[in-house]
Amino acid sequence: MMDKIKVSILGSTGVVGQKMLRILENHPYIDVVNLSASRSKIGKKYSESVAWVEPGDIPERFRDMKMVSTDPEDHKNVDYVLSALPPEVAEDIEIKLIKNGINVISNASPFRMAENIPLINPELNYQHLELLEKMDTKFVKNPNCTSTIMSMPMVEVLRHDYKKITLSTLQAVSGAGFTGLSYMSIDDNIIPYIHGEEEKIPAEISKMFGFVSNNKIINRELNMYVTSVRVPVKVGHMGIMNIEFNDDIDIENFKNSLRNFTPLKKFKNLYTAPKNPVIIHDEENRPQHKMDLSNGMEIHVGRLEYKNKNLRMVILGDNLVRGAAGITVLTLETMNEMGVA
Ligand SMILES: N[C@@H](CC=O)C(=O)O
């Protein structure tokens, strides 16, 4: 039996932190040994520190765990820190951990675009994890939730010669975090702007589809334009993507390639990897939040329509699971399988 990978969860009381605990509750080889959040919670039991919003009860084994600080001394006993910290505090805390030799996989935005730090959506670019072989202390980033979800079907788009990609995203309230948006501002309303999102999405996707050269990632140039709005659903980011191709494509081949896209199949112990990361729907009323988010790691794609070298598709994914907590865990599992953890 292999030794378990010991982890700390930073930001464990937020929506993403709670989701990580749900995913790791019965994980066969990742063991959560420390929980931390803001200073005011140090020494308290987890159950007294959290405003629990995740469906179901707080997992029994975490209820009485005593909260620790984010300081490196409190994380010397783990193999990895998984960070679900808010961006305002993540930068300083994560750098301090790295400087003290503590490996970090982080969901927070600072350093996502650094050329020597892998930005991983495992099915798309697990190969970038080779950069870790040269790092004494490992530092890995997850993309923003929307970049993670929308990039998945782009794997097939980018195999063709295209002129322009236009994406409109309809993003759930949970993407703004537990205290991000008041009920009064989003109830019966759509907010036509999400700060920073429209720049982040194409930039991060261009990094994910980049290549490694001389220990850094060279981004792939993209001609992509994004509009992002906040809509009143709790979970699930939807995107409407239009692609103008230079040459004709075969739409049935396009769909089949996505259906058969299973690049992680060769790794046997990926507990959180879905069998098929992209699910293609032919029904005109799919994908839908109410029908398609039960396995949070899959990306659902429907309404594919191809005419005159133009393709339209509607994309849906769970922003908290695939977009944040689940991708962090899948990245660690993949690193472990590749022998770079
Ligand atoms: N920036 C996203 C959250 C995902 O990382 C959002 O605001 O929905």
Side-chain angles (χ1 to χ4, degrees):
M1 211 172 68
M2 66 174 159
D3 285 344
K4 288 199 170 190
I5 303 172
K6 294 190 180 66
V7 298
S8 299
I9 311 291
L10 267 50
S12 62
T13 56
V15 277
V16 174
Q18 293 182 31
K19 190 62 86 180
M20 277 188 194
L21 294 187
R22 177 63 77 218
I23 294 170
L24 292 172
E25 176 182 8
N26 296 310
H27 198 286
Y29 59 87
I30 300 178
D31 193 16
V32 178
V33 299
N34 299 317
L35 299 176
S36 107
S38 53
R39 290 221 160 261
S40 61
K41 294 173 181 165
I42 298 172
K44 289 187 181 159
K45 287 182 183 171
Y46 182 72
S47 57
E48 295 162 354
S49 313
V50 67
W52 186 258
V53 290
E54 174 63 21
D57 289 338
I58 303 175
E60 201 48 46
R61 53 181 293 232
F62 302 128
R63 290 190 70 82
D64 292 343
M65 274 174 76
K66 289 270 163 54
M67 303 293 288
V68 299
S69 79
T70 56
D71 298 338
E73 305 76 71
D74 281 343
H75 302 280
K76 295 268 187 219
N77 58 341
V78 298
D79 302 299
Y80 272 87
V81 160
L82 307 184
S83 166
L85 288 168
E88 323 76 80
V89 298
E91 181 164 347
D92 289 350
I93 293 172
E94 291 175 3
I95 279 300
K96 210 163 152 195
L97 289 164
I98 295 290
K99 283 191 175 149
N100 280 275
I102 295 165
N103 302 314
V104 176
I105 304 178
S106 163
N107 190 54
S109 55
F111 307 108
R112 275 198 192 130
M113 293 307 294
E115 59 185 13
N116 56 345
I117 298 177
L119 181 71
I120 299 296
N121 196 3
E123 286 88 345
L124 295 185
N125 67 342
Y126 68 88
Q127 297 87 342
H128 290 188
L129 288 168
E130 75 179 62
L131 285 176
L132 298 181
E133 282 161 13
K134 295 267 173 359
M135 281 187 197
D136 294 331
T137 304
K138 323 274 191 232
F139 195 14
V140 180
K141 286 276 161 176
N142 299 337
N144 169 297
C145 47
T146 320
S147 318
T148 301
I149 293 165
M150 303 306 152
S151 57
M152 198 66 93
M154 283 179 65
V155 70
E156 196 48 33
V157 172
L158 297 180
R159 289 201 179 110
H160 296 82
D161 186 16
Y162 75 95
K163 216 177 261 172
K164 185 176 169 189
I165 300 169
T166 311
L167 172 69
S168 303
T169 66
L170 297 87
Q171 301 186 202
V173 179
S174 54
F178 186 62
T179 51
L181 271 179
S182 73
Y183 178 75
M184 289 299 278
S185 64
I186 193 67
D187 179 45
D188 199 22
N189 199 18
I190 290 179
I191 299 172
Y193 174 68
I194 302 175
H195 179 73
E197 203 73 352
E198 294 166 359
E199 298 78 36
K200 266 186 221 167
I201 296 169
E204 292 182 10
I205 295 179
S206 74
K207 182 171 175 187
M208 280 183 260
F209 283 107
F211 62 94
V212 177
S213 169
N214 291 328
N215 288 322
K216 54 186 190 195
I217 295 157
I218 311 292
N219 299 348
R220 173 170 180 158
E221 258 186 52
L222 292 180
N223 192 24
M224 183 175 185
Y225 301 87
V226 180
T227 306
S228 295
V229 305
R230 188 75 70 196
V231 295
V233 292
K234 263 195 277 187
V235 177
H237 286 1
M238 185 173 263
I240 303 163
M241 189 177 282
N242 290 278
I243 307 108
E244 205 181 329
F245 291 101
N246 282 320
D247 298 316
D248 248 326
I249 66 157
D250 180 325
I251 185 63
E252 287 311 315
N253 281 348
F254 184 98
K255 288 197 220 174
N256 281 333
S257 300
L258 283 177
R259 282 192 187 101
N260 298 324
F261 177 60
T262 52
L264 299 181
K265 213 161 85 188
K266 60 183 168 198
F267 300 125
K268 296 298 168 218
N269 291 306
L270 302 181
Y271 179 69
T272 53
K275 190 160 166 267
N276 292 94
V278 182
I279 307 294
I280 300 289
H281 296 272
D282 289 320
E283 308 88 330
E284 64 186 10
N285 65 344
R286 307 284 283 278
Q288 272 190 42
H289 290 71
K290 286 199 170 167
M291 294 175 166
D292 295 312
L293 293 177
S294 56
N295 176 343
M297 288 299 279
E298 292 164 346
I299 306 300
H300 294 263
V301 181
R303 309 277 339 269
L304 286 110
E305 190 175 276
Y306 180 66
K307 247 192 255 162
N308 301 329
K309 299 185 186 162
N310 282 275
L311 174 68
R312 190 262 334 272
M313 52 187 170
V314 176
I315 305 161
L316 176 66
D318 186 320
N319 53 303
L320 297 178
V321 180
R322 166 57 75 165
I327 194 179
T328 309
V329 177
L330 180 56
T331 298
L332 178 54
E333 292 171 353
T334 309
M335 288 163 59
N336 185 51
E337 285 289 291
M338 290 172 69
V340 292

